[in-house]
Amino acid sequence: EWVDLVEIMENLVRNTSLQAKEKGLDIQLNIGHELPLIFGDGLRMEQIFMNLLTNAIRYTNKGKIVIDLQRVADRHVLVSMEDTGIGIPQEELKHIFERFYRVEKSRSRQYGGTGLGLAIVKQLVELHGGQIQVHSQSGTGTRFEVRFPIESEKERRKS
Ligand code: ATP
Ligand code: MG
């Protein structure tokens, strides 16, 4: 099925806005030009970004979350999600996509969770032919970037 990432992100932001507001967090959604639809499974796409957004809210105590959707030439659609949260220490970054991996025991106790979210996210992104990257600095924030390929001969736009 053809999936509209804009619609997915708008719904997710709407559905998490109360949760974010309770923590005093602002969620910003920036939508770029000429975004094509992506071929995939809408529910799984939603699951990808629900997990990332839930993490961003959970691991951010003040500031904001900025989500950007943009087209990168004819190659990719890039979704980036940046927060001003607690960040991830450099030496832990390479492990966070592993099943049940959680950063620091004390942090786990404070924030809850099972450590499965990002392992599932990575699998679902790759199932759609995409890639996921993370950049983070402890105490400053985290940015996840998800890229989905645009298959030009199959490209569809919203009508
Ligand atoms: P679950 O998602 O299964 O409820 P979880 O959130 O602990 O549990 P993951 O989503 O897989 O597990 O994330 C793995 C670890 O990466 C987390 O425990 C957390 O320490 C760290 N992490 C993930 N996203 C962020 C973020 N946006 N900011 C800071 N740390 C993060
Ligand atoms: Mg999680």
Side-chain angles (χ1 to χ4, degrees), residues 51-60 81 83 85-89 92 95-104 107-108 111-121 134 136 141-144:
N51 268 293
L52 293 178
L53 186 52
T54 308
N55 278 348
I57 294 172
R58 181 188 280 165
Y59 300 111
T60 302
M81 192 179 298
D83 65 54
I86 61 177
I88 302 166
E92 313 257 14
H95 298 296
I96 61 167
F97 296 108
E98 295 167 10
R99 264 173 292 172
F100 304 114
Y101 192 83
R102 312 204 57 233
V103 178
E104 297 168 21
R107 180 193 274 206
S108 313
Y111 293 97
T114 61
L116 271 173
L118 286 177
I120 294 167
V121 164
V134 58
S136 188
T142 303
R143 184 172 81 252
F144 282 91

Side-chain angles (χ1 to χ4, degrees), residues 26-149:
D26 201 32
I27 304 182
Q28 210 174 296
L29 179 59
N30 301 322
I31 297 165
H33 298 290
E34 301 197 50
L35 289 172
L37 302 181
I38 297 291
F39 195 80
D41 180 325
L43 279 176
R44 295 203 158 119
M45 290 271 190
E46 191 182 300
Q47 202 183 343
I48 291 168
F49 296 107
M50 184 63 192
N51 268 293
L52 293 178
L53 186 52
T54 308
N55 278 348
I57 294 172
R58 181 188 280 165
Y59 300 111
T60 302
N61 298 316
K62 67 177 206 296
K64 62 182 178 179
I65 296 159
V66 179
I67 304 165
D68 258 297
L69 268 76
Q70 53 180 291
R71 181 187 181 112
V72 182
D74 283 327
R75 299 168 52 83
H76 299 109
V77 170
L78 168 62
V79 183
S80 73
M81 192 179 298
E82 181 156 20
D83 65 54
T84 56
I86 61 177
I88 302 166
Q90 212 59 33
E91 65 276 13
E92 313 257 14
L93 276 177
K94 58 181 176 294
H95 298 296
I96 61 167
F97 296 108
E98 295 167 10
R99 264 173 292 172
F100 304 114
Y101 192 83
R102 312 204 57 233
V103 178
E104 297 168 21
K105 290 221 177 64
S106 61
R107 180 193 274 206
S108 313
R109 238 176 283 122
Q110 184 181 352
Y111 293 97
T114 61
L116 271 173
L118 286 177
I120 294 167
V121 164
K122 187 168 199 274
Q123 285 199 339
L124 292 179
V125 168
E126 289 174 354
L127 201 66
H128 286 86
Q131 291 180 310
I132 184 165
Q133 291 183 313
V134 58
H135 305 269
S136 188
Q137 209 175 346
S138 220
T140 304
T142 303
R143 184 172 81 252
F144 282 91
E145 295 181 349
V146 177
R147 284 176 175 76
F148 296 113

